[in-house]
Amino acid sequence: MRVLVIEDDKDVAAYLSKGLKESGYVVDATDNGKTGLHMATTESYDLLLVDRMLPELDGLSVVRMLRAGGSKTPVLVLSALGEVDDRVQGLRAGGDDYLVKPFSFSELLARIEALLRRSQQQQDVVTTLKVADLEMDLLARTVKRNGLSIDLQPREFRLLEYFMRNPGQVLTRTMLLEKVWDYHFDPQTNVIDVHISRLRAKIDKDFETPLLHTIRGAGYVLREAA
């Protein structure tokens, strides 16, 4: 699941991004409303976290403009303003939920999960991925192969999700670094090799047909046939 965080408080934005990534979400972030609106309208996200007080374009204006443009992406408004009138304004602007700061991260996660479930019921949102006999439930955050549960760490889950969203496509190290690790440079480490090795051991080791293949000199691909 891909989440856009529009938050100008650097500490809060870092806290949200770190927590969401640890929970397996792919996160993009920006610190102003104008850029956030542009990203929300030009990229595909499953959910938006929008702070109410933002530079250049305030959060409620961002939400109103998204709704006016036909966007149905779930929006959770975050704000230090917690009076009844404030919450009403946030919801009437087009927010699907409103959470007052400070909040617990566990409550934030629970509200995100509720919004995604609701969105699934209202829209044809992809919440499960399947490649051969490998299945991933994006909401329950579970993985099974041939009906057997596979336990993955959050980063392994994100890595496999990226592969399963692009079955049959060769994914380079640069693509993996950018999409899974959010690195826009080569850290000159074997981080990818280590995670690929762990992932391969979990999804392929005990099964007859390997799914994760190395394409020498190019990258890796998830597909049923070698």
Side-chain angles (χ1 to χ4, degrees):
M1 291 290 179
R2 193 177 180 197
V3 177
L4 174 61
V5 176
I6 310 176
E7 168 63 73
D8 64 327
D9 186 309
K10 292 183 179 179
D11 291 336
V12 174
Y15 169 72
L16 292 172
S17 295
K18 181 175 183 293
L20 289 170
K21 289 176 181 176
E22 288 176 347
S23 299
Y25 291 91
V26 177
V27 183
D28 290 333
T30 182
D31 62 359
N32 74 80
K34 187 176 180 180
T35 302
L37 178 63
H38 176 73
M39 294 174 69
T41 53
T42 57
E43 301 283 339
S44 177
Y45 292 99
D46 298 295
L47 185 135
L48 309 178
L49 296 181
V50 182
D51 182 44
R52 184 164 175 170
M53 306 296 288
L54 292 167
E56 298 195 32
L57 187 64
D58 69 89
L60 296 192
S61 294
V62 170
V63 178
R64 288 193 190 95
M65 294 174 76
L66 284 171
R67 297 304 185 225
S71 172
K72 296 181 179 179
T73 304
V75 175
L76 174 52
V77 178
L78 305 175
S79 178
L81 303 176
E83 298 298 327
V84 172
D85 287 346
D86 298 321
R87 298 197 298 271
V88 169
Q89 289 174 9
L91 296 172
R92 284 183 172 167
D96 297 283
D97 198 358
Y98 192 104
L99 187 58
V100 179
K101 299 176 181 177
F103 50 80
S104 72
F105 194 77
S106 60
E107 181 179 3
L108 174 74
L109 271 185
R111 288 175 182 258
I112 287 175
E113 291 164 4
L115 287 174
L116 291 174
R117 282 196 300 272
R118 194 184 310 161
S119 176
Q120 180 191 14
Q121 294 168 357
Q122 295 174 347
Q123 305 177 41
D124 187 19
V125 176
V126 174
T127 59
T128 59
L129 301 172
K130 183 174 174 62
V131 175
D133 57 355
L134 184 64
E135 300 177 73
M136 171 177 281
D137 187 321
L138 295 170
L139 290 181
R141 308 203 64 72
T142 58
V143 174
K144 293 182 179 179
R145 183 164 182 191
N146 196 26
L148 299 176
S149 295
I150 297 174
D151 184 28
L152 297 181
Q153 296 298 313
R155 184 75 70 179
E156 295 166 350
F157 191 95
R158 286 182 59 186
L159 182 59
L160 181 59
E161 179 183 351
Y162 186 48
F163 274 111
M164 295 189 73
R165 287 185 182 275
N166 300 277
Q169 179 180 342
V170 176
L171 303 180
T172 66
R173 294 171 59 85
T174 299
M175 294 164 72
L176 295 173
L177 284 169
E178 290 183 353
K179 298 298 184 181
V180 180
W181 276 266
D182 294 329
Y183 289 166
H184 295 275
F185 60 95
D186 189 344
Q188 299 294 316
T189 70
N190 64 345
V191 60
I192 291 180
D193 303 313
V194 170
H195 280 78
I196 289 288
S197 177
R198 291 176 181 168
L199 183 60
R200 179 178 279 139
K202 292 185 177 182
I203 67 171
D204 281 345
K205 182 180 177 181
D206 297 326
F207 300 91
E208 184 176 347
T209 304
L211 297 178
L212 185 55
H213 306 278
T214 300
I215 307 300
R216 191 174 299 278
Y220 306 92
V221 62
L222 186 75
R223 64 188 179 202
E224 187 166 8

